[in-house]
Amino acid sequence: MSGKPLFPSRPRPRRSTLLSVDIWTYQSVEYVTVAGEAWLASASEYPRSMRALWESRPWAPSVLPCGRAFDVISMPSLFGRRVLDELWASGPGCGPVAVYRGRTLLFVQPGTAARLRRLLAWEEWARDVPPLLCHGRGDAVTVPPVQRMVNSPDSPGLGAGRWIVAPESREPWLPGASVVLWACVRATREPAARAEPAALPTG
């Protein structure tokens, strides 16, 4: 796998097919596929009602509980970008990812939030990781709209938020605590590694 991920266009009943783009290109239109909607709705106690709401208001953000279909790790925006780069450059990739109010929302396996909190508190080398918000069972998060209009005035981190990697499967692969932890640690070391001067030749 090379470079940054692309999420391809898929046919979508009753809605137009939108463009595939680089995940960091903000001059784009993204959408959640029908299968992705089903996965998101499964987090709700009333999935049919949630999908009916999206059908009538596809441009509105929604609030979904964590702990059933996913947990969410909320990171500062720039650090979140470095973590995603690590997941795709040297790891297994990622599942759905969104941005909302200046933070990156990484969707992870249920149960990851509690375990990651323990790992970050226990591992000495995790002390350089910036504060993360780990949303698990009992928490809820705001997710971006399932569609975003062309030339929407919303910018990254403002307004209703937006998907970076939109859900497109009923069973998306989601990273666990250990995968996220190692990506965070590598992301904290990356700037320091780039700043180190090259070793001088000896002899």
Side-chain angles (χ1 to χ4, degrees):
M1 187 175 298
S2 62
K4 299 169 187 173
L6 301 177
F7 50 95
S9 304
R10 298 274 181 98
R12 181 178 180 80
R14 302 186 304 279
R15 294 180 186 166
S16 59
T17 299
L18 305 178
L19 301 176
S20 62
V21 295
D22 183 280
I23 64 169
W24 296 112
T25 301
Y26 288 108
Q27 305 302 319
S28 63
V29 180
E30 67 280 332
Y31 67 96
V32 178
T33 66
V34 172
E37 277 188 18
W39 172 71
L40 278 176
S42 71
S44 172
E45 191 173 354
Y46 306 101
R48 290 186 179 179
S49 297
M50 185 60 65
R51 298 198 70 179
L53 175 64
W54 290 334
E55 192 64 35
S56 62
R57 300 179 60 202
W59 316 113
S62 307
V63 177
L64 290 174
C66 299
R68 182 180 289 113
F70 54 76
D71 284 359
V72 171
I73 308 302
S74 174
M75 312 175 184
S77 181
L78 292 179
F79 180 72
R81 174 168 183 163
R82 292 205 303 268
V83 169
L84 291 187
D85 286 343
E86 289 294 336
L87 285 170
W88 282 96
S90 56
C94 68
V97 183
V99 289
Y100 183 72
R101 293 188 175 178
R103 296 186 69 86
T104 299
L105 306 181
L106 178 64
F107 288 71
V108 296
Q109 295 175 9
T112 294
R115 185 159 184 254
L116 184 60
R117 278 194 294 263
R118 292 194 295 268
L119 289 173
L120 288 170
W122 177 64
E123 295 292 354
E124 180 180 355
W125 34 259
R127 64 178 180 267
D128 296 326
V129 174
L132 305 180
L133 302 179
C134 301
H135 301 290
R137 185 170 295 276
D139 299 324
V141 294
T142 301
V143 300
V146 295
Q147 290 191 52
R148 182 173 180 271
M149 292 186 292
V150 180
N151 300 323
S152 168
D154 288 346
S155 59
L158 299 176
R162 59 181 294 133
W163 293 102
I164 296 176
V165 179
E168 59 177 21
S169 168
R170 288 179 179 270
E171 296 182 357
W173 180 84
L174 301 174
S178 59
V179 171
V180 175
L181 178 63
W182 278 110
C184 288
V185 171
R186 287 194 299 267
T188 60
R189 294 174 178 173
E190 180 188 5
R194 285 200 306 262
E196 290 179 359
L200 297 175
T202 58

